[in-house]
Amino acid sequence: MGTKESLGRGSVQFMTAGTGVRHSEHNLSEDKPLRFIQTWITPSRNNLPPNYGSSVGDEAMRWNQWQHLVSSVNNKGTEATVQINQDCNAYSSELEMGKTINFPLSEGRMAYMIALEGSVKVGDVVLERHDAVEITPLSSGGNGALDVTSVAVEKAEHGKDVAHVLLFEMQHVPGAG
């Protein structure tokens, strides 16, 4: 594909290896550390054509609210800029200290959340930096509403004190995780 680029905070890069690609990643900076989360999501079918793209992060869109980053190619009514070949959504939020936001976990859905920076409380569970939790209909209390509250913040590259979380939401598969 011949693509080369540098992505900043909050950006999303996606790739469908499909029938085959050659890929590498590295930090071009000699003095700034590289941080990223790499997630592999199995596509809904095999032998898809190779595909690559990215979306630049928008700090205002994730400040104290969920920014919808990734959705299924079959979800035509989405504001997510990245679409993948799987029934999976990804959201990000940067929360100021003490802020609570809600995520409506629909019936038949589950989620996986990771605290990237700071700490958050999800129900009765506190996630500290780099902690993660699987959220199933039973663990969400059965009502489908997830309250996420920042309980500790960290100074981020953009200079703000935040608790930064990433949430993946997908079809509930009993025994998954």
Side-chain angles (χ1 to χ4, degrees):
M1 288 183 234
T3 305
K4 294 181 181 181
E5 66 181 330
S6 293
L7 298 171
R9 180 179 180 85
S11 296
V12 175
Q13 179 183 58
F14 66 94
M15 177 178 62
T16 301
T19 56
V21 296
R22 184 177 301 172
H23 176 73
S24 67
E25 299 166 350
H26 59 277
N27 187 359
L28 297 176
S29 175
E30 294 182 16
D31 61 343
K32 293 181 183 175
L34 173 65
R35 294 184 331 134
F36 65 93
I37 300 293
Q38 188 170 53
T39 305
W40 295 79
I41 299 171
T42 304
S44 57
R45 58 189 174 91
N46 293 328
N47 298 316
L48 292 163
N51 187 22
Y52 171 86
S54 62
S55 175
V56 177
D58 185 339
E59 181 183 333
M61 292 295 292
R62 66 179 176 270
W63 185 250
N64 290 324
Q65 62 186 347
W66 293 111
Q67 181 184 12
H68 195 178
L69 303 171
V70 177
S71 73
S72 168
V73 295
N74 296 322
N75 186 352
K76 302 303 180 200
T78 181
E79 70 278 6
T81 56
V82 173
Q83 295 192 320
I84 61 172
N85 289 285
Q86 186 52 272
D87 179 14
C88 180
N89 293 284
Y91 300 84
S92 178
S93 183
E94 291 187 3
L95 302 171
E96 62 188 306
M97 183 62 192
K99 182 71 176 178
T100 299
I101 59 174
N102 181 272
F103 185 86
L105 190 61
S106 299
E107 185 175 341
R109 307 296 284 176
M110 62 186 287
Y112 179 82
M113 184 183 297
I114 182 170
L116 303 174
E117 295 165 320
S119 300
V120 294
K121 184 175 181 184
V122 184
D124 295 332
V125 177
V126 174
L127 300 178
E128 296 181 359
R129 184 181 224 237
H130 300 163
D131 285 346
V133 66
E134 178 186 53
I135 303 161
T136 62
L138 183 59
S139 67
S140 68
N143 64 7
L146 301 176
D147 287 329
V148 180
T149 303
S150 61
V151 294
V153 294
E154 293 180 33
K155 179 102 34 218
E157 298 98 72
H158 55 41
K160 294 183 179 178
D161 293 325
V162 300
H164 189 182
V165 295
L166 183 61
L167 180 136
F168 294 91
E169 179 261 351
M170 66 218 68
Q171 180 181 352
H172 178 237
V173 177

